[in-house]
Amino acid sequence: MTDTTTRLTRLRTRLLGAAYANADFWTQRTALLTDQALAALADRDPAAAEDLAHRHIDPDFLNDTRVLGAAIQAGIDTSHWEERRDKIRDYAREADWLNSGTDPDTEAKRLWASLYDHYPAIAQALAAFLTGLPPTWREDLFTRTYLFPAPNGPAKPQLPGPETAPYDENWEDCPACTEAQDQCRFHKGVSAGMDYQADLIKTLLADHQATEYVQQRHSELEASAAQSATTDTNTSTTQ
């Protein structure tokens, strides 16, 4: 049976599927906004939208000339781009730069021997930490999300790329986020903290019982702090 689905429909299906099913907030948002832009283009120029979808699904080789040409055509200043890319590449460990003969087990033994020889106390603490990890440590540490299962097989974990220090506080220019092609763990933690704080504020605004509890608890803490200060003052005077 011949598939008559247009490339534009295929691309929009992928974008909307990513916006609906992906676990990462920024990926969801980017996919949805891209789909909206593509839909607007399709309303204005269906042929151009179909051509764009065709070039996305069947891509040709991408080089600097094409990217810089499009940026210059858009009136964007690209004078700092090369410096920024060099900075990111200095931090990022690109897979094609690694020695293809590097063996993970050999490298792990080398790192452990170096740590044991130069920092034995840290090596001991690391060994104690690793032995205390739960049985699910592999999934907890290295699995970010799960892909859709294959027709005749189980779902395979999608492993995140390595994240390199330093974690830049600038959300727009963080080498770790760039390397992971996602939010790094630092910025994910910041987002989670902001969401948690927002939920607490909403709860306090809407739940009078929670507000009374917080006020009561705050009064207890103030009283406890005042009592501790008084005790410390009396002890100092006695001595």
Side-chain angles (χ1 to χ4, degrees):
M1 182 177 179
T2 303
D3 186 2
T4 59
T5 306
T6 64
R7 288 184 172 86
L8 178 61
T9 301
R10 294 178 189 174
L11 179 56
R12 293 199 62 190
T13 300
R14 294 181 184 181
L15 290 170
L16 293 173
Y20 180 80
N22 199 283
D24 180 68
F25 168 79
W26 294 108
T27 301
Q28 290 179 319
R29 182 177 178 82
T30 301
L32 182 59
L33 290 177
T34 304
D35 173 76
Q36 291 176 342
L38 193 59
L41 176 61
D43 288 339
R44 183 181 182 89
D45 191 341
E50 183 66 26
D51 178 65
L52 178 62
H54 171 76
R55 285 186 283 128
H56 177 80
I57 294 177
D58 300 313
D60 52 3
F61 182 73
L62 181 64
N63 54 38
D64 290 351
T65 303
R66 288 184 58 194
V67 176
L68 294 176
I72 293 173
Q73 185 179 9
I76 299 173
D77 178 18
T78 62
S79 59
H80 64 289
W81 282 16
E82 184 175 0
E83 180 183 356
R84 179 178 179 181
R85 182 171 63 176
D86 290 341
K87 175 185 175 182
I88 292 173
R89 286 183 173 178
D90 285 340
Y91 288 121
R93 296 183 297 273
E94 297 290 344
D96 56 349
W97 296 355
L98 295 177
N99 182 2
S100 59
T102 300
D103 176 51
D105 292 336
T106 301
E107 186 67 10
K109 291 178 182 177
R110 184 192 67 77
L111 290 174
W112 173 257
S114 177
L115 186 64
Y116 181 82
D117 290 339
H118 297 285
Y119 304 97
I122 297 178
Q124 181 179 2
L126 177 61
F129 172 76
L130 293 176
T131 54
L133 290 177
T136 58
W137 66 268
R138 187 185 300 273
E139 292 78 8
D140 296 341
L141 291 177
F142 297 109
T143 302
R144 176 172 57 191
T145 185
Y146 281 84
L147 301 175
F148 291 106
N152 298 317
K156 295 182 179 180
Q158 179 184 2
L159 304 182
E163 298 170 13
T164 183
Y167 294 94
D168 198 324
E169 293 184 2
N170 184 357
W171 294 70
E172 299 296 330
D173 192 17
C174 174
C177 290
T178 301
E179 184 176 357
Q181 297 182 356
D182 193 356
Q183 283 182 296
C184 66
R185 284 168 287 181
F186 172 81
H187 285 131
K188 280 187 177 180
V190 172
S191 296
M194 293 173 63
D195 292 341
Y196 180 72
Q197 185 180 34
D199 289 340
L200 287 179
I201 294 174
K202 291 177 182 177
T203 299
L204 291 176
L205 292 175
D207 191 334
H208 298 295
Q209 185 175 359
T211 303
E212 293 177 358
Y213 172 78
V214 171
Q215 292 175 341
Q216 179 182 355
R217 182 58 179 158
H218 181 67
S219 300
E220 292 174 355
L221 291 175
E222 284 188 331
S224 177
Q227 183 178 1
S228 298
T230 302
T231 302
D232 294 339
T233 302
N234 294 337
T235 301
S236 301
T237 303
T238 303
Q239 291 178 350

